[in-house]
Amino acid sequence: MMATSSEASKGAPVVAIRKLAKSDVPTVWMILQESPEAAAWSQESLLQLASADPAGWVAELNGLPVGFLIGRIAADEFEILNLAVAAAHRRNGIASKLLESALEFSRNVSCVSAYLEVRVSNVPAIKLYTHHGFTESGRRVRYYRHPVEDALVLSLNLSGNH
Ligand SMILES: CC(C)(COP(=O)(O)OP(=O)(O)OC[C@H]1O[C@@H](n2cnc3c(N)ncnc32)[C@H](O)[C@@H]1OP(=O)(O)O)[C@@H](O)C(=O)NCCC(=O)NCCS
């Protein structure tokens, strides 16, 4: 996930993916404040997740967290619970790098599929996931509140994607 030394020497942004740490919580929470489409978790919830050694990652740009992804393993499935990238750093492939790390981890722990729920109106997120091979596998009617909206369930078969 690191840029090559030639990229770094040309001054290209260096994005690195690493595991989420408790010290990331304030920055991750700030990213959530500018991401109303993401699940609105409190700092307390984030701290609990970060303390429990979750399946969580941050993307660092020149050493500063600019995106995160948190998931969980449920039996042989990997569920993506939350994902956001700081508004100023979107469309630079950062969510893709986070997603690729999470999917690689999922395969390594023998998950057979990955899935998530997303608001039907969240076109950027739906395009991101379909770009990575996810397809619609269900719909949960009136799943979200504020505003009330359906969720699409998007899934990816991991066993056929090695
Ligand atoms: C959705 C989100 C995480 C995408 O992050 P990102 O770092 O900008 O995504 P990437 O740069 O890796 O995008 C990869 C691909 O996804 C698709 N995509 C991402 N954002 C898009 C947008 N705004 N419009 C259309 N397609 C988009 C494109 O296919 C893109 O590839 P391209 O840039 O080569 O065209 C970001 O917009 C975000 O944080 N949104 C708010 C929180 C959120 O919605 N979270 C998801 C909850 S399920």
Side-chain angles (χ1 to χ4, degrees), residues 31-32 34-39 66-68 80-87 89-100 116-119 122-132 144 154:
I31 295 169
L32 277 180
E34 54 183 31
S35 307
E37 307 88 344
V66 292
F68 75 95
I80 296 169
L81 296 172
N82 217 347
L83 164 67
V85 171
H89 297 288
R90 292 179 189 163
R91 295 310 286 272
N92 287 319
I94 291 173
S96 294
K97 283 192 162 71
L98 285 161
L99 192 53
E100 283 158 11
L116 62 116
E117 283 124 8
V118 59
R119 283 183 182 269
N122 192 347
V123 173
I126 293 167
K127 292 211 165 171
L128 166 75
Y129 292 118
T130 53
H131 185 85
H132 287 272
Y144 292 107
L154 303 180

Side-chain angles (χ1 to χ4, degrees), residues 33-96:
Q33 300 320 293
E34 54 183 31
S35 307
E37 307 88 344
W41 291 346
S42 65
Q43 293 211 51
E44 291 71 27
S45 308
L46 282 165
L47 256 182
Q48 276 177 6
L49 282 162
S51 308
D53 187 25
W57 295 265
V58 294
E60 279 189 338
L61 182 64
N62 297 329
L64 288 174
V66 292
F68 75 95
L69 185 156
I70 295 177
R72 70 174 163 209
I73 299 167
D76 58 359
E77 293 189 315
F78 183 76
E79 181 181 12
I80 296 169
L81 296 172
N82 217 347
L83 164 67
V85 171
H89 297 288
R90 292 179 189 163
R91 295 310 286 272
N92 287 319
I94 291 173
S96 294

